[in-house]
Amino acid sequence: MTFRARHLLGIEPLHPEEIRSILDLADTYADLNRRGAQAGKVLDGLTQINMFFEASTRTQASFELAGKRLGANVMNMGVQASSIKKGETLIDTALTLNAMRPDLLVVRHPHSGAANLLAEKVTCAVLNAGDGRHEHPTQALLDALTIRREKGRLHRLTVAICGDIAHSRVARSNILLLGKMENRIRLIAPPTLIPAGAADWGVEVHDDMAEGLKDADVVMMLRLQKERMDGAFIPSQREYYHRFGLDAEKLKAAKADAIVMHPGPMNRGVEIDGTLADDINRSVIQEQVEMGVAVRMAAMELLARNLRAAAGQEGTHV
Amino acid sequence: MTSAAGERGAGDARNPEGHHMSKLFTNARLIDPEAGRVMPGALLVEGGRIARLFDTPEPEGLQGAERLNCAGRFLAPGIVDIGVKVSEPGERHKESFRSAGQAAAAGGVTTMVTRPDTIPAIDSPEILEFVTRRANEAAPVRVRPMSALTKGRQGREMVEIGFMLDAGAVAFTDCDAVVEDTRVLGRCLSYARSLGALVIGHPQDPGLSRGAAATSGKFASLKGLPAVSPMAERMGLDRDLALVEMTGARYHADQITTARALPRLERAKAAGLDVSAGVSIHHLTLNEFDIGDYRTFFKVKPPLRAEDDRVAVVEAVASGLIDIISSMHTPQDEESKRLPFEEAASGAVALETLLPAALRLYHSGDMTLPQLFRALSLNPSKRLGLDTGRLAPGAPADLVLFDADAPFVLDRFKLRSKSKNTPFDGARLQGKVIGTWVGGVSVFGG
């Protein structure tokens, strides 16, 4: 079963086989990129618009690079700067861009469900690059690829996700993906940063690092937004670091070969110890960035393929 | 005070003969919410009021009366809908008295009790007079306006409760703007009590509910929506009830939608406080999962609840603990709904779907028809001191004739409301209004 959807809006609607097919293709691109070889120009002649309503250097750069490696014409729209300030709505901006006939629309937006809304209104393929605290599917896919390459499998692993889960789309997409692939998932955070009803997601919830990390194969750290101090989510950065920051000492509870992940950007000394983050024996943070490009190449290639198939059925040419 | 909008507002003003003609509704199934029964029979209307009930379907004699054969369908007291938002003044493009009135008539609603959360808020006798005049000109059904409780619904200064009562206000409410300052609310309740005015609250803890778009729990967390704990309703109700106990005021909670709040309501009633409670039709017939993939027509305030809560609240209406079902009709234009869920406006239109949606509860066996009309017609009338809502000799002939079984698929573009934001678009519903009469005068079908 290959990935047949028109859009990539989230992990939720994906079948495990679809996830596997995206990861398999991404795997080949990862090897290709690593060898410095040229990828086939499968997006040649296609237009990709990156529409970011929220600033993001790394994700946007990753999508841009992925598109360019496959031969797409890539255009970046810094939407926060322009039209939104002039009172244009999300839909209007999207319809304007849609009129320029792009093939792939990569969207990041501060509100949950924004990518779903866009997908209803435009004719091109929509790739969700993060919507509010809902989903960030390519991040979960790149995390999955990293884990699969490091651990040799993507099932029956114990994965601890630690930090601000309540406000994290990365956590949601990862929980969905790792759950679909039959892994054991543990959430570790102070109760103020655990979303309501998380216990019903088929995960274990811990507020103690030693317990939560016990025998973990993978430790995923999440970024703590500085704003969280204002809303009385946590008392202070230093208490947070003391109780929930990952360092070599706390990591001892996990398996000896456990890997450490972080979606970036990191707050060294807030959620993770700087030395540990740079430890090439434990940290796979750089590899995650590398896999990001490969996964986005794969996702865009598959979406473009589906786009062509759909157009072929309608008897037109993309 | 008795010369308020509704008395003059009905169609009878434009059709004075209506008053003098007598009408005999034959072969009907009469729903009597007061007696709690459905009786095959006939009903005679004279001078705009119900003159007599018959327990035979085709009474002999009465040659002068115009005969209307109901063909075995249900005849019930017209719906008295507390909490209708007509977007006049301020947003007439969303809904006017004419469009809302036509929607009401088509939905079997014979009295619209209108909300003051307009732009500007209805917080002075002058604005209330404007509303009353517009209502009389344009709406085919009775209109009873509510007044804001505080000026501009800002929660700081009390409106002129006495003058507003004189101008025809039937209740005082800041709608979904909770009066956060307990001292202000306490004083409003205290002052209202001295005039016998009814205060309607929106029980919701303002801190917990700030910015919320959904009810907290598994669904909202998965969808990444900012959410409020259902506990916020109980906390809001607890506070309001404590102030009611302190002041002795007459109080109505606009919407009780969670199981947790019910024991508090029960205890307050048992303690003899003058309290009542309502619930919107949406909270009785939909739950949080209906939101699905961010469907903004399902964004209402308070947000849709878990199924357990919905079931508990349906039971509370059946038992009478919750007194009133209302539409919470809230028109919103396409633009304000075509946004990401968090940013989209709250509210749904419901005047025309109130009865068919309520009949879902009848078809599912959760409620009998007299129970439904107790909550739709009788109780709201009683609570507001109106003489409508009954099938009794002497009561105004505000009537709805409906076929409880007729199935249809709702098309939102066929609604009479100017705004089409219904969560029931494309839904299969059962139950159609055949005719609506206000003061014995036909305002729809018939």
Side-chain angles (χ1 to χ4, degrees):
Chain A
M1 183 182 196
T2 51
F3 175 70
R4 292 222 179 278
R6 227 186 99 198
H7 309 288
L8 180 60
L9 302 176
I11 299 296
E12 197 193 355
L14 298 185
H15 188 274
E17 285 302 322
E18 291 179 293
I19 293 170
R20 251 174 235 128
S21 72
I22 299 172
L23 295 182
D24 290 346
L25 182 60
D27 226 355
T28 63
Y29 277 127
D31 293 338
L32 212 64
N33 290 342
R34 201 166 270 189
R35 290 203 309 272
Q38 277 288 344
K41 300 290 181 203
V42 293
L43 298 187
D44 193 24
L46 299 191
T47 306
Q48 168 193 344
I49 298 184
N50 295 335
M51 188 161 69
F52 278 59
F53 291 87
E54 227 179 38
S56 154
T57 326
R58 36 207 301 149
T59 307
Q60 188 170 327
S62 180
F63 270 109
E64 184 174 355
L65 198 56
K68 283 183 172 161
R69 283 201 181 148
L70 294 178
N73 297 313
V74 186
M75 186 167 96
N76 287 319
M77 300 278 294
V79 194
Q80 5 149 235
S82 61
S83 35
I84 291 296
K85 288 221 174 94
K86 295 176 198 153
E88 198 175 57
T89 66
L90 169 65
I91 297 284
D92 289 332
T93 310
L95 289 181
T96 304
L97 293 180
N98 195 49
M100 300 176 193
R101 313 289 251 139
D103 303 286
L104 296 159
L105 192 57
V106 179
V107 188
R108 168 166 292 190
H109 194 278
H111 291 309
S112 303
N116 300 63
L117 183 62
L118 278 183
E120 284 172 22
K121 308 288 176 189
V122 298
T123 46
C124 59
V126 175
L127 244 144
N128 183 6
D131 62 325
R133 41 178 109 161
H134 176 220
E135 283 231 46
H136 190 356
T138 55
Q139 178 71 43
L141 289 163
L142 75 88
D143 288 341
L145 184 60
T146 310
I147 294 171
R148 199 171 77 169
R149 287 168 72 103
E150 284 290 327
K151 292 286 162 196
R153 66 176 199 273
L154 190 58
H155 58 274
R156 295 197 188 172
L157 294 166
T158 300
V159 183
I161 304 176
C162 182
D164 185 2
I165 291 149
H167 301 93
S168 174
R169 52 193 170 217
V170 175
R172 275 172 187 74
S173 289
N174 264 311
I175 291 166
L176 288 166
L177 191 152
L178 294 167
K180 281 177 198 278
M181 306 316 271
E182 298 181 8
N183 294 283
R184 180 173 181 178
I185 303 166
R186 300 207 189 120
L187 307 182
I188 316 171
T192 46
L193 296 178
I194 295 278
D200 302 330
W201 289 355
V203 298
E204 295 170 33
V205 178
H206 295 274
D207 58 9
D208 180 278
M209 286 286 268
E211 268 176 39
L213 291 182
K214 193 166 183 299
D215 298 327
D217 298 289
V218 177
V219 183
M220 273 186 190
M221 300 307 295
L222 298 173
R223 177 181 163 79
L224 182 79
Q225 308 275 341
K226 293 263 185 350
E227 302 89 89
R228 298 300 165 232
M229 250 67 73
D230 304 336
F233 289 98
I234 56 164
S236 73
Q237 258 185 39
R238 61 181 190 180
E239 179 162 326
Y240 183 80
Y241 183 64
H242 177 71
R243 296 190 59 209
F244 298 97
L246 187 69
D247 54 20
E249 189 55 36
K250 292 201 188 84
L251 189 59
K252 280 182 185 160
K255 280 193 185 150
D257 62 348
I259 55 169
V260 174
M261 306 177 77
H262 194 297
M266 277 183 285
N267 290 311
R268 289 167 190 263
V270 178
E271 70 261 355
I272 189 162
D273 171 56
T275 322
L276 179 61
D278 297 334
D279 179 355
I280 53 162
N281 294 313
R282 307 306 295 271
S283 163
V284 295
I285 295 171
Q286 293 308 315
E287 192 181 345
Q288 284 176 272
V289 178
E290 189 188 343
M291 292 308 120
V293 178
V295 153
R296 286 165 185 134
M297 288 169 82
M300 288 196 287
E301 177 181 345
L302 292 171
L303 284 174
R305 217 185 266 172
N306 296 348
L307 211 61
R308 286 201 177 94
Q313 275 167 12
E314 285 160 25
T316 51
H317 218 71
V318 174
Chain B
M1 210 184 120
T2 45
S3 65
E7 291 302 311
R8 300 187 312 254
D12 48 8
R14 261 153 283 131
N15 185 3
E17 313 91 89
H19 258 288
H20 308 292
M21 229 159 49
S22 55
K23 278 195 180 79
L24 184 64
F25 292 84
T26 62
N27 200 12
R29 278 189 281 171
L30 305 171
I31 300 174
D32 182 348
E34 248 177 333
R37 63 176 180 178
V38 180
M39 175 181 92
L43 181 145
L44 180 67
V45 173
E46 271 173 353
R49 290 183 177 267
I50 296 169
R52 236 181 112 182
L53 300 171
F54 303 87
D55 56 10
T56 50
E58 294 279 359
E60 300 296 314
L62 301 160
Q63 264 70 27
E66 178 196 354
R67 279 178 179 250
L68 275 145
N69 188 346
C70 299
R73 272 115 176 203
F74 293 103
L75 189 64
I79 295 168
V80 178
D81 191 0
I82 299 187
V84 175
K85 167 106 177 242
V86 176
S87 310
E88 277 189 73
E91 295 176 299
R92 226 164 103 180
H93 68 288
K94 291 187 177 178
E95 192 82 288
S96 67
F97 276 102
R98 184 176 308 280
S99 61
Q102 284 164 352
V109 173
T110 49
T111 302
M112 296 194 289
V113 182
T114 56
R115 296 210 310 252
D117 54 344
T118 45
I119 305 170
I122 299 167
D123 60 358
S124 74
E126 290 75 15
I127 301 175
L128 188 58
E129 247 168 55
F130 162 81
V131 166
T132 306
R133 199 175 57 240
R134 283 287 305 145
N136 286 339
E137 285 165 12
V141 302
R142 296 182 203 271
V143 176
R144 294 295 199 146
M146 297 194 284
S147 160
L149 181 63
T150 66
K151 287 181 188 152
R153 302 196 300 129
Q154 297 287 312
R156 286 193 291 270
E157 296 170 67
M158 201 186 299
V159 300
E160 294 165 316
I161 296 181
F163 286 161
M164 294 303 262
L165 281 172
D166 292 345
V170 292
F172 294 80
T173 179
D174 278 355
C175 303
D176 62 355
V178 176
V179 179
E180 293 193 28
D181 188 330
T182 42
R183 195 173 349 199
V184 171
L185 182 58
R187 285 177 182 157
C188 289
L189 286 165
S190 197
Y191 192 88
R193 180 189 182 265
S194 71
L195 293 165
L198 179 70
V199 174
I200 300 185
H202 180 70
Q204 197 67 221
D205 181 79
L208 278 182
S209 56
R210 194 165 298 135
T215 301
S216 68
K218 189 180 169 184
F219 175 78
S221 291
L222 267 180
K223 293 291 174 189
L225 291 172
V228 55
S229 165
M231 192 63 93
E233 181 173 293
R234 187 179 104 186
M235 290 167 67
L237 184 65
D238 276 342
R239 180 198 72 155
D240 287 5
L241 291 176
L243 290 172
V244 168
E245 194 179 327
M246 208 168 92
T247 57
R250 300 176 61 218
Y251 175 88
H252 174 72
D254 66 346
Q255 300 183 67
I256 293 296
T257 60
T258 61
R260 282 191 177 101
L262 296 172
R264 306 308 227 262
L265 183 63
E266 195 167 16
R267 210 168 60 189
K269 284 187 166 185
L273 301 185
D274 192 352
V275 297
S276 56
V279 62
S280 91
I281 188 62
H282 300 121
H283 292 90
L284 291 173
T285 51
L286 304 168
N287 69 28
E288 56 184 354
F289 294 123
D290 287 304
I291 293 168
D293 270 334
Y294 307 98
R295 295 196 288 169
T296 56
F297 283 3
F298 291 80
K299 185 177 180 183
V300 293
K301 229 177 174 181
L304 291 175
R305 306 302 195 182
E307 177 64 5
D308 290 353
D309 281 324
R310 187 194 73 82
V311 170
V313 168
V314 168
E315 279 170 12
V317 174
S319 77
L321 176 58
I322 290 179
D323 308 84
I324 291 164
I325 300 173
S326 63
S327 71
M328 280 295 149
H329 181 81
T330 306
Q332 297 290 4
D333 54 22
E334 300 286 305
E335 288 314 309
S336 51
K337 285 287 188 184
R338 233 170 46 141
L339 291 168
F341 199 83
E342 286 175 63
E343 289 180 291
S346 294
V349 291
L351 280 166
E352 275 169 89
T353 47
L354 174 57
L355 183 56
L359 287 170
R360 278 190 173 177
L361 302 169
Y362 160 68
H363 291 297
S364 65
D366 288 310
M367 265 179 242
T368 64
L369 289 171
Q371 279 174 328
L372 269 182
F373 280 88
R374 183 182 67 195
L376 289 168
S377 307
L378 178 64
N379 284 346
S381 293
K382 275 164 74 175
R383 193 59 178 147
L384 297 173
L386 309 177
D387 56 358
T388 51
R390 300 161 177 85
L391 281 197
D398 289 6
L399 302 165
V400 53
L401 178 69
F402 65 96
D403 179 337
D405 298 315
F408 68 103
V409 176
L410 187 91
D411 173 358
R412 70 187 184 107
F413 294 108
K414 293 203 173 129
L415 292 176
R416 286 158 183 83
S417 283
K418 282 192 187 175
S419 295
K420 313 294 182 191
N421 56 307
T422 172
F424 292 111
D425 185 37
R428 288 159 201 277
L429 294 164
Q430 231 184 319
K432 270 188 170 165
V433 174
I434 293 164
T436 307
W437 291 264
V438 175
V441 176
S442 169
V443 292
F444 174 77

